[in-house]
Amino acid sequence: MQQADRPSLAEVFVSIDDPRQAGKVEHDLVEMLVVAVSAVLSGADTFVEIEAWATERLDWLRNYLKLKHGIASHDTFGRLFGLIDPAQFEAAFRRWVGSVVPVLGAQVVAIDGKTSRRSGKVDATPL
């Protein structure tokens, strides 16, 4: 599969319904989702870290996204993820991952297979 055949994150996130009140929206839904997923894939674990990651990389992100109003606050990210339909988000994200790594399909992949040190006991398996 060539690069042109793969949908971008933005293209798969267009299918997600925006549950926010239209008149009160400052940040684009798709852009916020792309920023959040990019930050998490880069190691961010919280909404505060997503905001910090994106703020540090605003110039780079603007090569790919408009970000007319800059980066949303961590509170805005939190509210958005509390409102969006998790099933829609999961389906869109799976479509993107499936296109990026087609050989995985629906398999589960263990990302971290390390064993915690000194967690084993006699006649028991370690963590």
Side-chain angles (χ1 to χ4, degrees):
M1 185 180 284
Q2 295 183 6
Q3 181 70 19
D5 297 337
R6 295 183 198 145
S8 68
L9 268 175
E11 291 169 338
V12 297
F13 287 151
V14 168
S15 64
I16 298 175
D17 295 329
D18 192 343
R20 302 172 297 170
Q21 295 177 351
K24 298 180 180 181
V25 173
E26 187 172 294
H27 299 281
D28 181 72
L29 171 73
V30 172
E31 289 184 344
M32 286 186 66
L33 294 174
V34 169
V35 167
V37 169
S38 299
V40 169
L41 291 174
S42 298
D45 290 324
T46 66
F47 296 124
V48 171
E49 291 176 359
I50 290 171
E51 179 187 5
W53 179 90
T55 300
E56 290 174 9
R57 290 158 183 82
L58 180 60
D59 292 335
W60 177 79
L61 287 166
R62 282 196 167 135
N63 290 322
Y64 306 98
L65 305 168
K66 292 180 183 175
L67 298 169
K68 181 179 176 183
H69 297 286
I71 301 299
S73 72
H74 61 276
D75 289 329
T76 303
F77 279 109
R79 280 191 302 273
L80 175 67
F81 276 90
L83 291 173
I84 62 172
D85 181 352
Q88 284 185 346
F89 179 81
E90 179 183 1
F93 186 73
R94 283 180 180 260
R95 273 195 311 275
W96 178 73
V97 170
S99 71
V100 173
V101 190
V103 292
L104 292 179
Q107 297 178 14
V108 175
V109 177
I111 301 298
D112 185 8
K114 296 177 183 154
T115 303
S116 295
R117 297 182 87 190
R118 297 182 184 87
S119 65
K121 296 178 183 172
V122 178
D123 297 329
T125 58
L127 295 174

